[in-house]
Amino acid sequence: MSRGNRIKRRSDYSWIPRLLNSFGKGVLSLAGVLCAIGLLSAFFLSLYQFALLSPLLRLEIVQVEGADPLLERELMAMGKLHSGLSLAGIQLGKLKRDMEAHPWVRRVQIERRLPHTLVISVEKEEPVAIVILDQARFLNKHGELFKRVTAVDPVNFPVITGVPADSPDLPSLLARAIGILNTLGAEQPPWAVDNLAEIHLKDRSDLSLYYTHMDARIECAPDALAEAMPNLRQLTSYLQEKGELERLRSINLNYTEGAVAAFAKS
């Protein structure tokens, strides 16, 4: 093709206005969305401020369930709850954590009941024994240690000894102690838990029981205690009839055909 016949190509920049137009529309759309979000946020913030300040949502009634009067007063003080607070402004999560820090509280559930009521359901700790570790601690029915025993606390519970404080098996040992208490919970006096003074956990395969009504030590494997209790009742009834119960010093129930008793020298 000759030079005269060559066609000069012209650069086409018509796409630039179209791109700018699309970009502008996108920016405007994004701005509209952000504006809507801002207006919505401002609306909800205003609504929250209204709820905080409105007398229609003032705290007037605090209903505490599952707590005695003393514990109720202490929980109210811990939560700084009083008439006139904004019910909407109370932080339920923080209030729950604060109240569950009380040593006699295991769990708390809190519910708002609009327009003026706060309901607090308390699960109190219920000790079933006292465990002697580096210090005396209460044990609940779930096998959980929860409070150090002080001079003003009730102490009419069985004592659990022989548990190493630093043992990696501490949870399983405490669970074993709960199992023993549950087994004895089905017994009638004088072998009921109310008369139990001490559980001494020697190891995984042996324990000693001490009761308040006799000086004798009772030895048994934890897993065999329920089956061994009839032998204990039969032997002690026989010794009582013979007038030998006061001389009794120990009973070993770790025998398949009965029990072995040891006596003080007469």
Side-chain angles (χ1 to χ4, degrees):
M1 182 179 294
S2 65
R3 180 177 298 180
N5 293 330
R6 290 179 183 175
I7 299 174
K8 294 183 178 179
R9 295 176 178 266
R10 297 178 60 187
S11 299
D12 185 5
Y13 296 104
S14 61
W15 58 272
I16 296 178
R18 292 195 299 271
L19 177 62
L20 293 176
N21 184 48
S22 299
F23 179 75
K25 290 180 179 180
V27 170
L28 290 176
S29 298
L30 179 60
V33 171
L34 293 176
C35 182
I37 293 175
L39 290 174
L40 193 61
S41 300
F43 170 75
F44 282 114
L45 181 60
S46 299
L47 190 63
Y48 179 67
Q49 291 294 331
F50 171 78
L52 291 179
L53 300 175
S54 173
L56 300 177
L57 294 175
R58 291 296 182 189
L59 178 63
E60 295 181 2
I61 301 171
V62 179
Q63 182 179 333
V64 181
E65 302 172 347
D68 56 67
L70 176 59
L71 180 57
E72 179 178 340
R73 290 194 298 271
E74 292 176 347
L75 292 178
M76 291 283 287
M78 292 178 71
K80 299 179 181 178
L81 297 175
H82 58 81
S83 178
L85 285 175
S86 169
L87 189 59
I90 297 175
Q91 300 179 33
L92 299 189
K94 181 179 184 304
L95 183 60
K96 173 181 170 69
R97 290 191 298 272
D98 290 345
M99 290 187 170
E100 288 181 345
H102 192 289
W104 286 105
V105 171
R106 183 168 187 265
R107 185 178 291 113
V108 169
Q109 297 295 330
I110 306 175
E111 175 189 359
R112 291 188 186 96
R113 291 184 184 173
L114 301 179
H116 302 298
T117 303
L118 190 69
V119 179
I120 302 172
S121 301
V122 180
E123 180 185 349
K124 290 181 60 178
E125 291 283 14
E126 297 181 3
V128 296
I130 295 174
V131 181
I132 306 300
L133 299 169
D134 50 347
Q135 53 186 235
R137 299 280 297 276
F138 284 114
L139 180 72
N140 65 21
K141 63 182 179 180
H142 305 284
E144 301 165 344
L145 298 169
F146 66 91
K147 183 185 183 297
R148 183 175 63 87
V149 180
T150 65
V152 298
D153 289 325
V155 292
N156 55 331
F157 301 100
V159 174
I160 298 174
T161 60
V163 180
D166 56 350
S167 172
D169 295 330
L170 181 60
S172 62
L173 291 173
L174 296 179
R176 181 172 290 109
I178 293 297
I180 296 166
L181 291 170
N182 290 338
T183 297
L184 298 177
E187 293 292 323
Q188 298 295 321
W191 306 111
V193 173
D194 291 343
N195 294 331
L196 182 64
E198 180 184 346
I199 300 173
H200 183 75
L201 297 174
K202 296 181 180 179
D203 51 43
R204 291 180 176 271
S205 61
D206 199 9
L207 65 88
S208 297
L209 302 178
Y210 298 86
Y211 279 87
T212 57
H213 66 282
M214 59 188 300
D215 294 331
R217 179 181 71 255
I218 302 168
E219 298 180 356
C220 185
D223 296 338
L225 182 60
E227 298 177 358
M229 290 305 293
N231 292 335
L232 175 63
R233 291 193 294 269
Q234 182 179 2
L235 176 60
T236 52
S237 295
Y238 173 79
L239 294 176
Q240 188 170 18
E241 292 176 2
K242 296 297 183 179
E244 296 291 338
L245 196 58
E246 293 184 358
R247 295 181 52 241
L248 184 65
R249 290 296 173 263
S250 68
I251 300 174
N252 193 326
L253 299 174
N254 293 319
Y255 291 86
T256 56
E257 297 181 357
V260 174
F263 299 88
K265 294 181 180 180
S266 56

